[in-house]
Amino acid sequence: MVLNVVIMAAGKGTRMRSARAKVLHRLAGRHLLQHVLDAAAGLGPSRTIVVTGHEAAEVERATGAPGLAFVRQEPQLGTGHAVQQAAPLLDDTGTTLILNGDVPLIEAETLQALVSASAGGKLALLTVELADPSGYGRIVRRAAGTGGDEAIEAIVEDKDATPEQRRVAEIYTGVMAAPTHALKRWLAALRNDNAAGEYYLTDVVRLAAAEATPVVGVAAPNETEVLGVNSPAQLADLERRYQRRAAALLMAQGVRLADPARFDLRGDLRCDADVEIDVGCVFEGEVVLGEGVRVGAFCIIRNATIAARATIRPYSHIDGEALGATVGAGAVVGPFARLRGGAELAADVHVGNFVEIKNSTLGRGAKANHLAYLGDASVGEHVNFGAGSITANYDGANKHRTTIGADAHIGSNSVLVAPVVVGAGATIGAGSTITRDAPAGQLTIARTRQASFAGWKRPTKKSR
Ligand code: UD1
Ligand code: CA
């Protein structure tokens, strides 16, 4: 079956009080429109059309999906007018699914149920009952006992509704599936003689009913999936609903979250058994936590793989960037550690407070426990990288590598000026600036020898 998807995203979103287009505001790390596109992609549509208008260029730049096309709606004369702009791109055979770009938590299964309900040329509407339906289009059904009992006759917009219609709790969520050929006919017949002076997409229901096309309602499985974002407060509310759902799914798999209300996932998090996550952590991109991993409070972890039994202590920031970062089994990182792209820590590595590691491998059991920087370095097994020591990897134009052999000891406050090799088992005296290779197994010191001066006097203030 041919399925086309139309996503309306041309509106201004005045109540966000933001220069940014509403659909580009972020929820769980992805912008609103991307959530809708991802849900729609679950149905494998043959074509997806996004209707843009307000901040169109920005929206089009920020949005990507296979088989995506954009049409512009200028000016914005209503939701019916929005879909009219997409109509020339729709395949006449098959079904069109219409979605709002500002309803981000809709799920693919719900959309699939709606599309299935439209099979055989029906118009299917996703509906929900709300305790407070004000502002929404109400579902108007034929009165019982008039033949065709309770069939849907129309959607009446809040502004146009009678007091009696306003009491209807069943509302239109803004999602419909329609036979494309008939949809085009209905769109062409829309008029704007209503309270808003707009072309209402919702008027297609009356037109369908008038042609005796069956109109069916599909109840949304819950309210959260169909809530829209119109204001910063609603955006924050949906963010929390998303996070509570993500937290619940993880806990159902056995992950122990200290507090599901203080947990944020902005990407994908995969956890093996017995993972513990303390409060205030943020996970972004692709993160994998192995069996028994413990993450302390207030850590931010992005694009990283943490192996079994590793411990990430509080306030650590691990951002694998594009390269990824890996922490080996049983390793201990933090508190206050920073791992960047290409940090690869083998098993049992210890990285302590105020240590930054970028694009470097640390062999099994290596330690950098205090105030250090390792960039573009290969560090062997059981190396001890002393407090306050750094690799000087950047000469102002190019980056160079530092290689440190197994079991080397780098004394405190040393500078290893790359490119440079420290041999296995070497010891670097504290405070050394190493600019040439240091041989394996030897002590290398590169600083002035300590001297003491007997009889030396401190300067005294001159009297004038
Ligand atoms: C719409 C429905 C209403 C439903 C509600 C659910 C109509 C006439 N009414 O009302 O029945 O209960 O959604 O949330 O459809 N848009 C455009 N171009 C336009 C106007 C809007 O692209 O000219 C886009 C908006 O960016 C938004 C979506 O269409 O993504 C919905 O528009 P909005 O103005 O929010 O419609 P509602 O008044 O909420
Ligand atoms: Ca709306």
Side-chain angles (χ1 to χ4, degrees):
M1 187 205 61
V2 176
L3 176 67
N4 289 173
V5 172
V6 177
I7 302 174
M8 295 183 285
K12 187 166 188 312
T14 314
R15 280 179 286 162
M16 289 302 289
R17 297 180 184 277
S18 166
R20 193 186 308 161
K22 179 165 76 175
V23 294
L24 295 187
H25 285 274
R26 283 177 184 276
L27 187 149
R30 274 176 298 160
H31 60 66
L32 301 179
L33 181 55
Q34 196 62 51
H35 282 270
V36 180
L37 283 165
D38 291 348
L43 278 64
S46 45
R47 175 172 279 177
T48 301
I49 298 150
V50 176
V51 183
T52 60
H54 184 71
E55 296 288 319
E58 284 294 312
V59 174
E60 291 163 15
R61 235 195 325 275
T63 310
L68 189 62
F70 294 99
V71 292
R72 292 211 181 168
Q73 183 199 17
E74 314 267 12
Q76 290 105 46
L77 302 179
T79 51
H81 181 250
V83 181
Q84 281 172 356
Q85 311 311 304
L89 275 71
L90 303 175
D91 297 305
D92 272 319
T93 59
T95 303
T96 297
L97 174 67
I98 302 173
L99 295 156
N100 279 358
D102 61 356
V103 179
L105 300 187
I106 191 81
E107 300 217 19
E109 299 83 86
T110 304
L111 297 178
Q112 189 58 64
L114 190 73
V115 170
S116 302
S118 75
K122 295 195 268 288
L123 174 60
L125 308 174
L126 189 66
T127 70
V128 73
E129 293 205 6
L130 295 180
D132 175 15
S134 56
Y136 289 95
R138 308 299 204 288
I139 303 292
V140 176
R141 289 175 184 269
R142 202 165 289 150
T146 56
D149 278 1
E150 315 240 314
I152 295 174
E153 263 180 340
I155 297 172
V156 179
E157 292 305 311
D158 192 66
K159 282 183 186 158
D160 301 279
T162 63
E164 191 194 345
Q165 286 167 336
R166 286 211 176 95
R167 283 195 290 274
V168 173
E170 189 185 14
I171 63 101
Y172 171 57
T173 61
V175 185
M176 67 169 70
T180 305
H181 189 72
L183 176 68
K184 287 188 180 180
R185 193 167 61 239
W186 301 328
L187 287 171
L190 291 179
R191 295 153 53 101
N192 65 350
D193 50 353
N194 52 52
E198 290 182 0
Y199 295 91
Y200 292 160
L201 175 63
T202 42
D203 283 347
V204 303
V205 174
R206 212 175 256 122
L207 294 165
E211 288 181 359
T213 298
V215 182
V216 295
V218 173
N222 57 65
E223 180 187 289
T224 298
E225 273 194 48
V226 295
L227 288 177
V229 173
N230 298 296
S231 64
Q234 287 174 341
L235 179 60
D237 175 46
L238 285 200
E239 174 80 35
R240 245 335 91 195
R241 287 170 188 252
Y242 178 97
Q243 296 302 348
R244 275 205 296 272
R245 189 168 69 183
L249 285 171
L250 286 163
M251 291 189 293
Q253 292 162 25
V255 177
R256 294 193 288 280
L257 297 178
D259 182 357
R262 285 179 289 172
F263 166 81
D264 285 270
L265 177 58
R266 300 175 189 157
D268 288 312
L269 174 61
R270 283 194 289 124
C271 294
D272 285 343
D274 280 313
V275 165
E276 291 183 12
I277 299 172
D278 208 336
V279 300
C281 294
V282 180
F283 296 89
E284 299 182 279
E286 307 269 326
V287 177
V288 178
L289 303 180
E291 187 177 343
V293 164
R294 287 186 297 158
V295 181
F298 303 107
C299 290
I300 298 174
I301 304 183
R302 174 169 175 258
N303 293 345
T305 299
I306 318 285
R309 297 175 312 286
T311 301
I312 312 299
R313 290 187 173 151
Y315 296 102
S316 293
H317 186 229
I318 300 177
D319 182 358
E321 301 159 42
L323 291 171
T326 57
V327 174
V332 179
V333 174
F336 298 103
R338 179 170 184 214
L339 305 186
R340 294 170 54 198
E344 289 180 28
L345 279 47
D348 302 321
V349 163
H350 284 199
V351 172
N353 43 205
F354 309 107
V355 174
E356 174 183 350
I357 298 180
K358 184 217 80 168
N359 195 30
S360 295
T361 57
L362 274 67
R364 171 183 292 269
K367 292 191 169 98
N369 272 334
H370 324 270
L371 303 164
Y373 173 60
L374 280 162
D376 305 305
S378 304
V379 178
E381 295 189 357
H382 301 293
V383 164
N384 195 315
F385 198 78
S389 293
I390 66 163
T391 55
N393 57 324
Y394 185 53
D395 60 15
N398 297 297
K399 304 249 169 81
H400 303 281
R401 283 203 80 79
T402 301
T403 303
I404 304 174
D407 292 310
H409 272 232
I410 310 299
S412 294
N413 201 31
S414 295
V415 180
L416 307 183
V417 182
V420 74
V421 177
V422 176
T427 299
I428 303 297
S432 293
T433 297
I434 301 295
T435 54
R436 285 178 287 129
D437 292 354
Q442 298 182 20
L443 170 66
T444 299
I445 303 180
R447 56 171 147 89
T448 51
R449 185 177 292 274
Q450 182 165 325
S452 301
F453 302 91
W456 178 81
K457 291 272 188 301
R458 283 187 190 171
T460 52
K461 233 190 177 82
K462 287 192 180 99
S463 53
R464 282 192 296 162

